[in-house]
Amino acid sequence: MIALGAGMTACAPAGGDSSADVTELTLIAANSPWTKGLETLAVDYEEETGVKVNLEFYGNEQLNDTLKVKLNAQSSDFDIYAYQVQDVMREFSRNGWLADMTDYVSSDPEWDWDDFQSSARDAVTLDGVVYGVPVMTERHVMYYRSDLLEQAGIPVPTTLDELAAAAAKLNNPDNGFYGIAMRGAKVPLVTQFSSFLYSYGGDFQDEDGNATVDTPEAIEAYEFYGKLLKDYGPPGATNMGWPEASAIFAQGNAAFYLDADSQAYTFLDPANSAVVDTVAYGSFPAGPAGSHPYSIVPQTVGINEFSKKKDAAWEFIKWVTNEENSKKLLSEATVPVARDSAWADDEATSGFPAGLVEIVRSSEGTVGHDRPQLEQVALAREIVGAPAVVAIEGGNVSDSAKQAQTDFQKLLDGEK
């Protein structure tokens, strides 16, 4: 039996193990479309190389708890793990739980790190160090009712001002129909508000990591987001996350819905959608600073710093994320992979809605984060989401943003 297949024997830079002697690896991850596809690929890998990859899958919260227990104990009983970059990468890297993969990803020009989407590469890099390889991506898009826009003679909005005008024209609350549906609950809305913030020229933090949620750009963005939902959204919007808001659009009761492209199949399922034949997809509309939607990495695969098989772990990661297998996951398991070459392949993307594919291919201007960047991200979302709720309720956004700035900066200072 050959321990590693042809072209897979070169040891990467820093692992310290002999890959040729490794016959077994263990990977743990949260359940996702990627892990579903991985079940088949792991079998293929064993057939090609003789290396068995044991797979352990958990729910998201259960995975994080499991990882923290094992890594805190410096466990080496697993070698590879998938994680959510924006939730844990800062904490895990500070604790020394993630292996530095910077030299690995640049070690093989044929594998081609530069083929991964720019925002995805940025998302897995912290202070110049690469801590993983992105295996799934997600973008902010605009869902709309093509039939209603056509009947009303409204062009597909390309700017936020055009979106507001179209939502106003189609809004008909007396008949239970609304111009737009979006997340309005304080914590869930933060990720979707982020694209509005970037497109108004703002961000949650500046280049030095300080809070910037009371800048003129941020206040304008808060006010615009709130006005959209206050004037043209459904009642009770401040209690809505994505399940509630998407359901309104899926039931045919809203003209627009702005949220993650990962929900596209929700609207194409006849069992749950009344808009299967009328839903269409548009790029996130441009604000005063242009169109800058988030493009994030919900799943990244990294190497356990305490693994005794780092080089072998990298060989598997490199194989499972190569161009051929990325196209296979995209075409056969509809996994939204991070390689540009996969999305450029018409055959590999044939299972995705054509309008959505075009948006992914035109990812210029996207931003690699959709929430504040710090370890206590859950608490930060409570803080920076508050001005948006005030805006939806018609309150004083400027005062709320100033309070959020003070509270958020205090949180950031506590992590310095």
Side-chain angles (χ1 to χ4, degrees):
M1 177 179 293
I2 301 172
L4 286 174
M8 303 175 66
T9 55
C11 282
D17 61 276
S18 174
S19 295
D21 296 331
V22 174
T23 58
E24 195 167 351
L25 293 166
T26 297
L27 179 152
I28 63 177
N31 292 302
S32 73
W34 180 71
T35 54
K36 195 68 180 172
L38 193 59
E39 292 174 351
T40 300
L41 288 179
V43 174
D44 294 344
Y45 190 71
E46 183 174 4
E47 290 176 353
E48 283 191 28
T49 68
V51 178
K52 178 178 176 59
V53 181
N54 302 305
L55 303 175
E56 298 178 15
F57 300 145
Y58 302 86
N60 276 325
E61 291 189 6
Q62 187 184 10
L63 173 66
N64 286 341
D65 291 343
T66 300
L67 285 174
K68 289 180 180 179
V69 169
K70 286 178 175 287
L71 292 167
N72 198 44
Q74 301 189 1
S75 170
S76 61
D77 65 2
F78 67 103
D79 309 289
I80 306 164
Y81 62 100
Y83 63 95
Q84 293 181 307
V85 169
Q86 297 188 94
D87 288 340
V88 302
M89 186 171 74
R90 288 174 181 274
E91 177 187 1
F92 283 20
S93 61
R94 175 177 58 78
N95 288 336
W97 294 346
L98 280 165
D100 181 346
M101 296 174 66
T102 310
D103 290 339
Y104 280 129
V105 299
S106 59
S107 63
D108 186 346
E110 289 189 7
W111 178 74
D112 194 3
W113 178 228
D114 288 341
D115 186 37
F116 289 78
Q117 294 165 358
S118 174
S119 58
R121 282 182 278 128
D122 289 345
V124 300
T125 304
L126 182 61
D127 298 329
V129 178
V130 177
Y131 286 109
V133 175
V135 293
M136 286 179 62
T137 60
E138 185 177 270
R139 285 145 294 271
H140 203 178
V141 299
M142 177 180 68
Y143 300 93
Y144 66 92
R145 289 280 301 278
S146 59
D147 57 328
L148 299 183
L149 266 64
E150 184 177 345
Q151 290 168 17
I154 301 173
V156 177
T158 59
T159 69
L160 290 175
D161 287 341
E162 290 175 359
L163 171 65
K169 189 170 184 178
L170 295 171
N171 191 44
N172 189 358
D174 290 342
N175 286 326
F177 188 85
Y178 304 96
I180 192 165
M182 298 192 297
R183 305 185 197 186
K186 185 166 59 178
V187 173
L189 72 77
V190 169
T191 53
Q192 310 312 302
F193 167 70
S194 68
S195 299
F196 289 81
L197 179 60
Y198 310 149
S199 298
Y200 265 83
D203 203 328
F204 298 107
Q205 294 155 255
D206 63 19
E207 291 181 353
D208 297 322
N210 293 312
T212 55
V213 294
D214 69 342
T215 62
E217 294 83 4
I219 290 172
E220 279 192 81
Y222 277 126
E223 289 176 336
F224 184 88
Y225 191 93
K227 183 175 172 56
L228 267 183
L229 280 176
K230 179 170 71 70
D231 292 350
Y232 317 124
T238 55
N239 295 317
M240 291 184 181
W242 73 263
E244 296 82 10
S246 66
I248 290 173
F249 185 80
Q251 291 160 5
N253 294 326
F256 293 94
Y257 174 62
L258 274 65
D259 212 292
D261 60 1
S262 56
Q263 298 173 36
Y265 284 96
T266 301
F267 306 125
L268 298 176
D269 179 3
N272 299 302
S273 173
V275 297
V276 172
D277 297 323
T278 56
V279 61
Y281 315 89
S283 298
F284 188 85
S291 175
H292 297 293
Y294 66 74
S295 177
I296 61 164
V297 177
Q299 288 291 319
T300 293
V301 62
I303 298 174
N304 176 7
E305 175 63 18
F306 308 111
S307 168
K308 307 298 184 190
K309 310 170 187 173
K310 289 192 184 72
D311 287 347
W314 165 245
E315 290 297 337
F316 174 71
I317 291 173
K318 190 171 72 169
W319 179 86
V320 82
T321 59
N322 66 24
E323 185 174 332
E324 178 184 353
N325 285 324
S326 294
K327 289 180 179 178
K328 183 179 292 186
L329 286 170
L330 184 63
S331 63
E332 296 179 7
T334 60
V335 177
V337 297
R339 277 190 178 271
D340 283 330
S341 58
W343 285 100
D345 188 301
D346 290 339
E347 185 176 347
T349 59
S350 60
F352 283 79
L356 198 56
V357 172
E358 289 306 312
I359 293 170
V360 177
R361 288 175 175 173
S362 305
S363 58
E364 186 176 350
T366 55
V367 179
H369 59 278
D370 65 355
R371 65 200 71 185
Q373 296 179 283
L374 72 167
E375 289 188 22
Q376 297 183 80
V377 65
L379 183 52
R381 289 176 66 169
E382 291 268 0
I383 295 170
V384 304
V389 173
V390 170
I392 297 168
E393 294 174 339
N396 189 317
V397 176
S398 181
D399 285 353
S400 181
K402 288 179 182 175
Q403 184 61 55
Q405 172 76 10
T406 300
D407 295 343
F408 183 30
Q409 185 61 52
K410 188 180 297 182
L411 194 63
L412 290 166
D413 289 342
E415 292 193 359
K416 290 180 179 176

